[in-house]
Amino acid sequence: MCWHIVTYREYSCGIRQCTDRSSLDCKRENCRLSKVHETRKTHDCPNDCKGDKTEEHHLIMDVTKNPCQICLGLGRTVHLGLPDYAASGIDYQHVG
């Protein structure tokens, strides 16, 4: 079914800032949310079709060693304890 991709930047202080929200169309005729949902044919939409709500998938796309603007205002500085791959966009919390 159709869904949204929500991407984030994660700062060293743990704050996640939303950077984008995109819709993904599944292109299925039996999905009410899709642009190709079949409305011209006679069909039993309440029983045959799906898609009453859209799922969201949340992805951390950027991890920075810098703190967020709020923490910078409080005097916090760069967090040097993060591994090198943290700035590469890999979700370091799930790296073994």
Side-chain angles (χ1 to χ4, degrees):
M1 298 289 98
C2 295
W3 40 287
H4 293 293
I5 296 177
V6 183
T7 59
Y8 297 89
R9 172 179 294 119
E10 185 173 294
Y11 293 93
S12 63
C13 55
I15 296 293
R16 293 180 181 167
Q17 176 187 28
C18 181
T19 55
D20 191 30
R21 181 183 173 95
S22 304
S23 296
L24 232 58
D25 190 329
C26 67
K27 300 188 187 311
R28 294 182 183 171
E29 290 183 354
N30 69 336
C31 176
R32 291 184 200 99
L33 302 173
S34 176
K35 292 179 182 177
V36 298
H37 178 241
E38 186 56 66
T39 56
R40 293 172 282 163
K41 291 181 187 175
T42 303
H43 67 283
D44 188 5
C45 193
N47 293 318
D48 296 340
C49 298
K50 297 180 181 180
D52 291 338
K53 60 182 180 178
T54 305
E55 279 188 40
E56 289 186 344
H57 294 263
H58 301 267
L59 302 171
I60 299 170
M61 299 300 291
D62 182 32
V63 178
T64 177
K65 293 181 179 184
N66 298 319
C68 70
Q69 292 296 318
I70 295 170
C71 289
L72 280 174
L74 295 173
R76 296 186 181 131
T77 59
V78 174
H79 188 286
L80 300 176
L82 292 176
D84 289 337
Y85 55 78
S88 68
I90 297 172
D91 185 355
Y92 65 90
Q93 294 176 351
H94 297 100
V95 175

Coordinates of all heavy atoms in Angstrom, one line a residue:
M1 N 0.8 -1.2 0.0 CA 0.0 0.0 0.0 C 0.9 1.2 0.0 O 2.1 1.2 0.2 CB -0.9 0.0 1.2 CG -1.9 -1.2 1.3 SD -3.2 -1.2 0.1 CE -2.7 -2.2 -1.2
C2 N 0.3 2.4 -0.2 CA 1.0 3.6 -0.3 C 1.5 4.0 1.1 O 0.9 3.6 2.1 CB 0.1 4.8 -0.7 SG -0.4 4.5 -2.5
W3 N 2.6 4.7 1.2 CA 3.2 5.1 2.5 C 4.0 6.4 2.3 O 4.3 6.8 1.2 CB 4.0 4.0 3.1 CG 4.8 3.1 2.3 CD1 4.4 2.2 1.4 CD2 6.2 3.1 2.2 NE1 5.4 1.5 0.9 CE2 6.6 2.1 1.3 CE3 7.2 3.8 2.8 CZ2 7.9 1.8 1.0 CZ3 8.6 3.5 2.5 CH2 8.9 2.5 1.6
H4 N 4.4 7.0 3.4 CA 5.2 8.2 3.5 C 6.6 7.8 4.0 O 6.8 6.9 4.9 CB 4.7 9.2 4.5 CG 3.4 9.8 4.0 ND1 3.3 10.6 2.9 CD2 2.2 9.7 4.6 CE1 2.0 11.0 2.8 NE2 1.3 10.4 3.8
I5 N 7.6 8.4 3.5 CA 9.0 8.3 4.0 C 9.3 9.6 4.7 O 9.2 10.7 4.1 CB 10.0 8.0 2.9 CG1 9.7 6.7 2.2 CG2 11.4 8.1 3.4 CD1 10.7 6.4 1.0
V6 N 9.7 9.5 6.0 CA 10.0 10.7 6.7 C 11.5 10.6 7.1 O 11.9 9.6 7.7 CB 9.2 10.8 8.0 CG1 9.5 12.1 8.8 CG2 7.7 10.8 7.7
T7 N 12.3 11.5 6.6 CA 13.8 11.4 6.9 C 14.2 12.5 8.0 O 13.5 13.5 8.1 CB 14.6 11.7 5.6 OG1 14.3 13.0 5.1 CG2 14.3 10.6 4.6
Y8 N 15.2 12.1 8.7 CA 15.7 12.9 9.8 C 17.2 13.1 9.8 O 18.0 12.3 9.2 CB 15.4 12.2 11.1 CG 13.9 12.1 11.4 CD1 13.3 10.9 11.0 CD2 13.2 13.0 12.1 CE1 11.9 10.7 11.2 CE2 11.9 12.9 12.3 CZ 11.2 11.7 11.9 OH 9.9 11.6 12.1
R9 N 17.7 14.2 10.4 CA 19.1 14.4 10.7 C 19.1 14.2 12.3 O 18.4 14.8 13.0 CB 19.5 15.8 10.4 CG 20.9 16.1 10.9 CD 21.4 17.5 10.5 NE 21.5 17.6 9.1 CZ 20.8 18.4 8.3 NH1 19.9 19.2 8.7 NH2 21.0 18.4 6.9
E10 N 20.1 13.4 12.7 CA 20.2 13.2 14.2 C 21.5 13.9 14.6 O 22.6 13.7 14.1 CB 20.3 11.7 14.5 CG 20.4 11.5 16.0 CD 20.2 10.0 16.4 OE1 19.2 9.4 16.1 OE2 21.2 9.5 16.9
Y11 N 21.4 14.7 15.7 CA 22.5 15.4 16.2 C 23.1 14.6 17.4 O 22.5 13.7 17.9 CB 22.0 16.8 16.7 CG 21.6 17.7 15.6 CD1 20.2 17.8 15.2 CD2 22.5 18.5 14.9 CE1 19.9 18.6 14.1 CE2 22.1 19.3 13.9 CZ 20.8 19.4 13.5 OH 20.4 20.2 12.5
S12 N 24.3 15.0 17.8 CA 25.0 14.3 18.8 C 24.3 14.3 20.2 O 24.4 13.4 21.0 CB 26.4 14.9 19.0 OG 26.3 16.2 19.5
C13 N 23.4 15.3 20.4 CA 22.6 15.4 21.6 C 21.4 14.4 21.6 O 20.7 14.3 22.6 CB 22.2 16.8 21.9 SG 21.3 17.5 20.5
G14 N 21.2 13.8 20.5 CA 20.0 12.9 20.4 C 18.8 13.4 19.7 O 17.9 12.7 19.4
I15 N 18.8 14.7 19.5 CA 17.6 15.4 18.9 C 17.6 15.0 17.4 O 18.6 15.0 16.7 CB 17.7 16.9 19.0 CG1 17.6 17.3 20.5 CG2 16.6 17.6 18.2 CD1 16.3 17.1 21.1
R16 N 16.4 14.7 16.9 CA 16.2 14.4 15.5 C 15.4 15.4 14.8 O 14.3 15.8 15.3 CB 15.5 13.0 15.3 CG 16.4 11.9 15.8 CD 15.7 10.5 15.6 NE 16.6 9.5 16.1 CZ 16.2 8.3 16.3 NH1 14.9 7.9 16.1 NH2 17.1 7.4 16.7
Q17 N 15.9 16.0 13.7 CA 15.2 17.0 13.0 C 14.7 16.5 11.7 O 15.5 15.9 10.9 CB 16.2 18.2 12.7 CG 15.6 19.3 11.9 CD 16.6 20.3 11.5 OE1 17.8 20.0 11.4 NE2 16.2 21.5 11.3
C18 N 13.4 16.6 11.5 CA 12.8 16.2 10.2 C 13.4 17.0 9.0 O 13.4 18.2 9.1 CB 11.3 16.3 10.3 SG 10.5 15.7 8.8
T19 N 13.9 16.3 8.0 CA 14.5 16.9 6.9 C 13.6 16.8 5.6 O 13.7 17.6 4.7 CB 15.9 16.4 6.6 OG1 15.8 15.0 6.4 CG2 16.8 16.7 7.7
D20 N 12.7 15.8 5.6 CA 11.9 15.6 4.4 C 10.8 14.7 4.7 O 10.9 13.8 5.6 CB 12.7 15.1 3.2 CG 12.0 15.2 1.9 OD1 11.1 16.1 1.7 OD2 12.2 14.3 1.0
R21 N 9.7 14.8 3.9 CA 8.5 13.9 4.0 C 8.1 13.7 2.6 O 7.7 14.6 1.9 CB 7.4 14.5 4.8 CG 6.2 13.6 5.0 CD 5.1 14.4 5.8 NE 3.9 13.6 5.8 CZ 3.6 12.8 6.8 NH1 4.4 12.6 7.8 NH2 2.5 12.1 6.7
S22 N 8.2 12.5 2.1 CA 7.8 12.2 0.7 C 6.7 11.1 0.7 O 6.7 10.2 1.5 CB 9.0 11.6 0.0 OG 10.1 12.6 0.0
S23 N 5.9 11.2 -0.3 CA 4.8 10.1 -0.5 C 5.3 9.1 -1.5 O 5.9 9.5 -2.5 CB 3.5 10.8 -0.9 OG 3.0 11.6 0.1
L24 N 5.0 7.9 -1.3 CA 5.4 6.8 -2.2 C 4.1 6.2 -2.6 O 3.3 5.7 -1.8 CB 6.3 5.8 -1.5 CG 7.5 5.5 -2.3 CD1 8.4 6.7 -2.5 CD2 8.3 4.4 -1.6
D25 N 3.8 6.2 -3.9 CA 2.6 5.6 -4.5 C 2.9 4.1 -4.9 O 3.8 3.8 -5.6 CB 2.2 6.4 -5.7 CG 0.8 6.0 -6.2 OD1 0.4 4.8 -6.1 OD2 0.1 6.9 -6.8
C26 N 2.1 3.2 -4.3 CA 2.3 1.8 -4.6 C 1.8 1.4 -6.0 O 2.1 0.3 -6.5 CB 1.6 0.9 -3.6 SG -0.2 1.1 -3.6
K27 N 1.0 2.2 -6.7 CA 0.5 2.0 -8.0 C -0.3 0.7 -8.1 O -0.3 0.0 -9.1 CB 1.6 2.0 -9.0 CG 2.4 3.3 -9.1 CD 3.4 3.4 -10.2 CE 4.3 4.6 -10.2 NZ 3.8 5.9 -10.0
R28 N -1.1 0.5 -7.1 CA -2.0 -0.7 -7.1 C -3.4 -0.2 -7.3 O -3.9 0.7 -6.7 CB -1.9 -1.5 -5.8 CG -0.6 -2.1 -5.6 CD -0.6 -2.9 -4.3 NE 0.8 -3.5 -4.1 CZ 1.1 -4.1 -3.0 NH1 0.2 -4.2 -2.0 NH2 2.3 -4.5 -2.8
E29 N -4.1 -0.9 -8.2 CA -5.5 -0.5 -8.5 C -6.4 -0.7 -7.3 O -7.4 -0.1 -7.2 CB -6.0 -1.3 -9.7 CG -5.4 -0.9 -11.0 CD -5.9 -1.6 -12.2 OE1 -6.8 -2.5 -12.0 OE2 -5.6 -1.2 -13.3
N30 N -6.0 -1.7 -6.4 CA -6.9 -1.9 -5.3 C -6.5 -1.1 -4.0 O -7.0 -1.3 -2.9 CB -6.9 -3.4 -4.9 CG -5.6 -3.9 -4.4 OD1 -4.6 -3.3 -4.6 ND2 -5.6 -5.0 -3.6
C31 N -5.7 -0.1 -4.2 CA -5.3 0.8 -3.1 C -6.1 2.2 -3.3 O -5.9 2.8 -4.3 CB -3.8 1.1 -3.1 SG -3.3 2.2 -1.8
R32 N -6.9 2.5 -2.3 CA -7.7 3.7 -2.4 C -6.8 5.0 -2.5 O -7.3 6.0 -3.0 CB -8.7 3.8 -1.2 CG -9.8 2.8 -1.3 CD -10.7 3.1 -0.1 NE -11.5 1.9 0.1 CZ -11.2 1.0 1.1 NH1 -10.3 1.2 1.9 NH2 -12.0 -0.1 1.2
L33 N -5.6 4.9 -1.9 CA -4.8 6.1 -1.8 C -3.9 6.3 -3.1 O -3.3 7.3 -3.3 CB -3.8 6.0 -0.6 CG -4.6 5.8 0.7 CD1 -3.6 5.5 1.9 CD2 -5.4 7.1 1.0
S34 N -3.8 5.3 -3.9 CA -3.0 5.3 -5.1 C -3.6 6.2 -6.2 O -4.9 6.2 -6.3 CB -2.7 3.9 -5.6 OG -2.0 4.0 -6.8
K35 N -2.8 6.8 -7.0 CA -3.3 7.6 -8.1 C -3.9 6.7 -9.2 O -4.6 7.2 -10.0 CB -2.2 8.4 -8.7 CG -1.7 9.5 -7.8 CD -0.6 10.4 -8.4 CE -0.2 11.4 -7.4 NZ 0.9 12.2 -7.9
V36 N -3.6 5.4 -9.2 CA -4.1 4.5 -10.2 C -5.2 3.6 -9.7 O -5.6 2.7 -10.3 CB -3.0 3.6 -10.8 CG1 -1.9 4.4 -11.5 CG2 -2.4 2.7 -9.7
H37 N -5.8 4.0 -8.5 CA -7.0 3.3 -8.0 C -8.1 3.3 -9.0 O -8.4 4.3 -9.6 CB -7.5 4.0 -6.7 CG -8.7 3.3 -6.1 ND1 -9.9 4.0 -6.0 CD2 -8.9 2.1 -5.6 CE1 -10.7 3.2 -5.4 NE2 -10.2 2.0 -5.2
E38 N -8.6 2.1 -9.3 CA -9.6 1.9 -10.3 C -10.9 2.4 -9.9 O -11.5 1.8 -9.0 CB -9.6 0.4 -10.7 CG -10.5 0.2 -11.9 CD -10.2 1.0 -13.1 OE1 -9.1 0.8 -13.7 OE2 -11.0 1.9 -13.5
T39 N -11.4 3.5 -10.4 CA -12.7 4.0 -10.1 C -13.7 3.9 -11.2 O -14.9 4.1 -11.0 CB -12.6 5.5 -9.7 OG1 -12.0 6.3 -10.8 CG2 -11.7 5.7 -8.4
R40 N -13.2 3.6 -12.4 CA -14.1 3.5 -13.6 C -14.8 2.2 -13.6 O -16.0 2.1 -14.0 CB -13.3 3.7 -14.9 CG -12.8 5.1 -15.0 CD -11.9 5.3 -16.2 NE -10.6 4.7 -15.8 CZ -9.6 4.3 -16.6 NH1 -9.8 4.5 -17.9 NH2 -8.5 3.8 -16.1
K41 N -14.2 1.1 -13.2 CA -14.8 -0.2 -13.2 C -15.8 -0.3 -12.0 O -15.6 0.3 -11.0 CB -13.8 -1.3 -13.1 CG -12.9 -1.5 -14.3 CD -12.0 -2.7 -14.0 CE -11.0 -2.8 -15.1 NZ -10.0 -3.8 -14.8
T42 N -16.8 -1.1 -12.2 CA -17.7 -1.4 -11.1 C -17.0 -2.4 -10.2 O -16.7 -3.5 -10.7 CB -19.0 -1.9 -11.6 OG1 -19.6 -1.0 -12.4 CG2 -20.0 -2.2 -10.4
H43 N -16.7 -2.1 -9.0 CA -16.1 -3.0 -8.1 C -16.6 -2.8 -6.6 O -17.1 -1.7 -6.4 CB -14.6 -3.0 -8.1 CG -14.0 -1.7 -7.6 ND1 -14.0 -0.5 -8.4 CD2 -13.3 -1.4 -6.5 CE1 -13.4 0.4 -7.7 NE2 -13.0 -0.1 -6.5
D44 N -16.4 -3.7 -5.8 CA -16.8 -3.6 -4.4 C -15.7 -3.0 -3.6 O -15.0 -3.7 -2.9 CB -17.2 -5.0 -3.9 CG -17.8 -4.9 -2.5 OD1 -18.1 -3.8 -2.0 OD2 -18.1 -6.0 -1.9
C45 N -15.5 -1.7 -3.7 CA -14.4 -1.0 -3.1 C -14.3 -1.2 -1.6 O -13.2 -1.5 -1.1 CB -14.5 0.5 -3.4 SG -13.0 1.4 -3.0
P46 N -15.3 -1.1 -0.8 CA -15.2 -1.4 0.7 C -14.6 -2.7 1.0 O -13.9 -2.9 2.0 CB -16.6 -1.2 1.2 CG -17.3 -0.3 0.2 CD -16.7 -0.7 -1.1
N47 N -14.9 -3.7 0.2 CA -14.4 -5.1 0.5 C -13.2 -5.5 -0.3 O -12.4 -6.3 0.2 CB -15.6 -6.1 0.2 CG -16.7 -5.9 1.2 OD1 -16.5 -5.7 2.4 ND2 -17.9 -6.0 0.7
D48 N -13.0 -5.0 -1.5 CA -11.9 -5.4 -2.4 C -10.7 -4.5 -2.2 O -9.6 -4.9 -2.5 CB -12.3 -5.4 -3.8 CG -13.4 -6.4 -4.1 OD1 -13.6 -7.3 -3.3 OD2 -14.1 -6.2 -5.1
C49 N -10.8 -3.2 -1.8 CA -9.7 -2.3 -1.8 C -9.2 -2.0 -0.4 O -9.9 -2.2 0.6 CB -10.1 -1.0 -2.5 SG -10.6 -1.2 -4.2
K50 N -8.0 -1.6 -0.4 CA -7.3 -1.3 0.9 C -6.8 0.1 0.9 O -6.8 0.7 -0.2 CB -6.1 -2.3 1.1 CG -6.6 -3.7 1.3 CD -5.4 -4.7 1.5 CE -5.9 -6.1 1.6 NZ -4.9 -7.0 1.8
G51 N -6.3 0.6 2.0 CA -5.7 1.9 2.0 C -6.5 2.9 2.7 O -6.7 4.0 2.1
D52 N -6.9 2.7 3.9 CA -7.7 3.7 4.7 C -6.7 4.7 5.3 O -7.1 5.8 5.5 CB -8.5 3.0 5.8 CG -9.6 2.2 5.2 OD1 -10.1 2.5 4.1 OD2 -10.1 1.3 5.9
K53 N -5.5 4.3 5.5 CA -4.5 5.2 6.1 C -3.2 4.9 5.5 O -2.9 3.9 4.9 CB -4.5 5.1 7.6 CG -4.1 3.7 8.1 CD -4.1 3.7 9.6 CE -3.8 2.3 10.1 NZ -3.7 2.2 11.5
T54 N -2.3 5.9 5.7 CA -0.9 5.7 5.1 C 0.1 5.5 6.2 O 0.1 6.2 7.2 CB -0.5 7.0 4.4 OG1 -1.5 7.3 3.4 CG2 0.8 6.9 3.7
E55 N 0.9 4.4 6.0 CA 2.0 4.1 7.0 C 3.1 5.1 6.8 O 3.3 5.6 5.7 CB 2.5 2.7 6.7 CG 1.7 1.6 7.3 CD 2.5 0.3 7.2 OE1 3.7 0.3 7.4 OE2 1.8 -0.7 6.9
E56 N 3.8 5.4 7.8 CA 5.0 6.2 7.8 C 6.2 5.3 8.1 O 6.2 4.5 9.0 CB 5.0 7.4 8.8 CG 4.0 8.4 8.4 CD 4.0 9.6 9.3 OE1 4.6 9.5 10.4 OE2 3.5 10.6 9.0
H57 N 7.3 5.5 7.3 CA 8.6 4.9 7.5 C 9.6 6.0 7.9 O 9.7 6.9 7.1 CB 9.0 4.1 6.3 CG 8.1 2.9 6.0 ND1 8.4 1.6 6.5 CD2 6.9 2.8 5.4 CE1 7.4 0.8 6.1 NE2 6.5 1.5 5.5
H58 N 10.2 5.9 9.0 CA 11.1 6.9 9.5 C 12.5 6.4 9.3 O 12.9 5.3 9.8 CB 10.8 7.2 11.0 CG 9.4 7.7 11.2 ND1 9.1 9.0 11.3 CD2 8.2 7.0 11.4 CE1 7.8 9.1 11.4 NE2 7.2 7.9 11.5
L59 N 13.3 7.3 8.7 CA 14.7 6.9 8.4 C 15.7 8.1 8.9 O 15.4 9.2 8.6 CB 14.9 6.7 6.9 CG 14.1 5.7 6.2 CD1 14.2 5.7 4.7 CD2 14.4 4.3 6.7
I60 N 16.7 7.7 9.6 CA 17.8 8.7 9.9 C 18.7 8.7 8.7 O 19.4 7.7 8.4 CB 18.5 8.3 11.2 CG1 17.5 8.3 12.4 CG2 19.6 9.3 11.5 CD1 18.1 7.7 13.6
M61 N 18.8 9.8 8.0 CA 19.6 9.8 6.8 C 21.0 10.5 7.0 O 21.9 10.4 6.3 CB 18.9 10.6 5.7 CG 17.6 9.9 5.3 SD 17.8 8.2 4.7 CE 18.7 8.6 3.1
D62 N 21.1 11.3 8.1 CA 22.3 12.0 8.4 C 22.5 12.1 9.9 O 21.6 12.3 10.7 CB 22.1 13.5 7.8 CG 23.4 14.3 8.0 OD1 24.5 13.8 8.0 OD2 23.2 15.5 8.2
V63 N 23.7 11.7 10.3 CA 24.1 11.8 11.7 C 25.3 12.7 11.8 O 26.3 12.5 11.1 CB 24.4 10.4 12.3 CG1 24.9 10.5 13.7 CG2 23.2 9.4 12.1
T64 N 25.2 13.7 12.7 CA 26.3 14.7 12.8 C 26.8 14.7 14.2 O 26.1 14.4 15.2 CB 25.8 16.1 12.4 OG1 26.8 17.0 12.6 CG2 24.6 16.5 13.2
K65 N 28.1 15.0 14.3 CA 28.8 15.1 15.6 C 28.4 16.4 16.3 O 28.8 16.6 17.4 CB 30.3 15.0 15.4 CG 30.7 13.6 15.0 CD 32.2 13.5 14.9 CE 32.6 12.1 14.4 NZ 34.1 12.0 14.4
N66 N 27.7 17.3 15.6 CA 27.4 18.6 16.1 C 26.1 18.5 16.9 O 25.2 17.8 16.6 CB 27.2 19.6 15.0 CG 28.5 19.9 14.2 OD1 29.5 19.9 14.8 ND2 28.3 19.9 12.9
P67 N 26.0 19.3 18.0 CA 24.7 19.4 18.7 C 23.7 20.2 17.9 O 24.1 21.0 17.1 CB 25.1 20.0 20.0 CG 26.3 20.8 19.8 CD 27.0 20.1 18.6
C68 N 22.4 20.1 18.3 CA 21.4 20.9 17.7 C 21.5 22.4 18.1 O 22.3 22.7 18.9 CB 20.0 20.4 18.1 SG 19.6 20.7 19.8
Q69 N 20.7 23.3 17.5 CA 20.8 24.7 17.7 C 20.5 25.0 19.2 O 21.1 26.0 19.7 CB 19.9 25.5 16.8 CG 20.3 25.4 15.3 CD 21.6 26.1 15.1 OE1 21.9 27.2 15.7 NE2 22.5 25.5 14.3
I70 N 19.6 24.3 19.8 CA 19.2 24.6 21.2 C 20.4 24.3 22.1 O 20.7 25.1 22.9 CB 18.0 23.7 21.6 CG1 16.8 24.2 20.8 CG2 17.7 23.8 23.1 CD1 15.6 23.3 20.9
C71 N 21.0 23.1 21.9 CA 22.2 22.8 22.7 C 23.4 23.7 22.4 O 24.1 24.0 23.4 CB 22.6 21.3 22.4 SG 21.4 20.1 23.1
L72 N 23.5 24.1 21.2 CA 24.6 25.1 20.9 C 24.4 26.4 21.7 O 25.3 27.0 22.3 CB 24.7 25.5 19.4 CG 25.4 24.5 18.5 CD1 25.2 24.9 17.1 CD2 26.8 24.4 18.9
G73 N 23.1 26.8 21.8 CA 22.8 28.0 22.6 C 23.0 27.8 24.1 O 23.2 28.8 24.8
L74 N 23.1 26.6 24.5 CA 23.3 26.3 25.9 C 24.8 26.0 26.2 O 25.3 25.7 27.3 CB 22.6 25.0 26.4 CG 21.1 25.1 26.4 CD1 20.4 23.8 26.7 CD2 20.6 26.2 27.4
G75 N 25.6 26.2 25.1 CA 27.1 26.1 25.3 C 27.7 24.7 25.0 O 28.9 24.5 25.2
R76 N 26.9 23.8 24.6 CA 27.4 22.4 24.3 C 28.2 22.5 23.0 O 27.8 23.2 22.1 CB 26.3 21.4 24.2 CG 25.6 21.3 25.6 CD 24.6 20.2 25.6 NE 23.9 20.1 26.9 CZ 22.6 20.1 27.1 NH1 21.8 20.1 26.1 NH2 22.1 20.0 28.3
T77 N 29.2 21.6 22.9 CA 30.0 21.7 21.7 C 29.9 20.3 21.0 O 29.2 19.4 21.3 CB 31.5 22.0 22.1 OG1 31.9 21.0 23.0 CG2 31.6 23.3 22.7
V78 N 30.8 20.1 20.0 CA 30.9 18.9 19.2 C 31.1 17.7 20.1 O 31.9 17.7 21.0 CB 32.0 19.0 18.1 CG1 32.2 17.7 17.4 CG2 31.7 20.1 17.2
H79 N 30.4 16.6 19.8 CA 30.5 15.4 20.5 C 31.5 14.5 19.8 O 31.2 13.9 18.8 CB 29.1 14.7 20.6 CG 29.1 13.5 21.5 ND1 29.7 12.3 21.2 CD2 28.6 13.3 22.7 CE1 29.6 11.4 22.2 NE2 28.9 12.0 23.1
L80 N 32.7 14.4 20.4 CA 33.8 13.7 19.7 C 33.8 12.2 20.0 O 34.5 11.4 19.4 CB 35.2 14.2 20.2 CG 35.4 15.7 19.9 CD1 36.7 16.2 20.4 CD2 35.3 16.0 18.4
G81 N 32.8 11.7 20.8 CA 32.8 10.3 21.2 C 32.0 9.5 20.1 O 32.0 8.3 20.2
L82 N 31.4 10.1 19.1 CA 30.7 9.3 18.1 C 31.7 8.6 17.2 O 32.8 9.2 16.8 CB 29.8 10.2 17.3 CG 28.6 10.8 18.0 CD1 27.8 11.7 17.1 CD2 27.7 9.7 18.5
P83 N 31.4 7.4 16.7 CA 32.3 6.7 15.8 C 32.4 7.5 14.5 O 31.5 8.2 14.1 CB 31.7 5.3 15.7 CG 30.4 5.4 16.2 CD 30.3 6.6 17.1
D84 N 33.5 7.2 13.7 CA 33.7 7.9 12.4 C 32.5 7.6 11.4 O 32.2 8.5 10.7 CB 35.0 7.4 11.8 CG 36.2 7.9 12.5 OD1 36.0 8.9 13.2 OD2 37.2 7.3 12.4
Y85 N 31.9 6.5 11.5 CA 30.8 6.2 10.5 C 29.5 7.0 10.9 O 28.6 7.0 10.1 CB 30.5 4.7 10.3 CG 30.2 4.0 11.6 CD1 29.0 4.1 12.2 CD2 31.2 3.2 12.2 CE1 28.7 3.4 13.4 CE2 30.9 2.5 13.4 CZ 29.7 2.6 14.0 OH 29.4 1.9 15.1
A86 N 29.5 7.6 12.0 CA 28.3 8.3 12.5 C 28.0 9.5 11.5 O 26.8 9.8 11.3 CB 28.4 8.8 13.9
A87 N 29.0 10.1 10.9 CA 28.8 11.2 10.0 C 28.5 10.8 8.6 O 28.3 11.6 7.7 CB 30.0 12.2 10.1
S88 N 28.5 9.4 8.4 CA 28.4 8.9 7.0 C 26.9 8.7 6.6 O 26.7 8.3 5.5 CB 29.1 7.6 6.8 OG 28.5 6.6 7.6
G89 N 26.0 8.9 7.5 CA 24.6 8.6 7.2 C 24.1 7.2 7.6 O 22.9 6.9 7.5
I90 N 25.0 6.4 8.2 CA 24.6 5.1 8.7 C 24.0 5.3 10.0 O 24.5 6.1 10.9 CB 25.9 4.2 8.8 CG1 26.5 4.0 7.4 CG2 25.5 2.9 9.4 CD1 27.8 3.3 7.4
D91 N 22.9 4.6 10.3 CA 22.3 4.7 11.6 C 23.2 4.0 12.6 O 23.1 2.8 12.8 CB 20.9 4.1 11.6 CG 20.2 4.2 12.9 OD1 20.8 4.7 13.9 OD2 19.0 3.9 12.9
Y92 N 24.1 4.7 13.3 CA 25.1 4.1 14.2 C 24.5 3.3 15.3 O 25.2 2.5 15.9 CB 26.1 5.1 14.7 CG 25.4 6.2 15.6 CD1 25.4 6.0 16.9 CD2 24.9 7.4 15.1 CE1 24.8 6.9 17.8 CE2 24.3 8.3 15.9 CZ 24.3 8.1 17.2 OH 23.7 9.0 18.0
Q93 N 23.2 3.6 15.7 CA 22.6 2.8 16.8 C 22.4 1.4 16.4 O 22.2 0.5 17.3 CB 21.3 3.5 17.2 CG 21.5 4.9 17.7 CD 20.2 5.6 18.1 OE1 19.1 5.1 17.7 NE2 20.3 6.7 18.7
H94 N 22.4 1.1 15.1 CA 22.1 -0.3 14.7 C 23.3 -1.0 14.1 O 23.2 -2.0 13.4 CB 20.9 -0.3 13.7 CG 19.6 0.2 14.4 ND1 19.2 1.5 14.2 CD2 18.8 -0.4 15.2 CE1 18.1 1.6 14.9 NE2 17.8 0.5 15.5
V95 N 24.5 -0.4 14.2 CA 25.7 -1.0 13.7 C 26.3 -1.9 14.8 O 26.5 -1.4 15.9 CB 26.7 0.1 13.2 CG1 28.0 -0.6 12.8 CG2 26.1 0.9 12.1
G96 N 26.6 -3.1 14.5 CA 27.1 -4.0 15.5 C 28.4 -3.7 15.9 O 29.1 -3.7 16.8

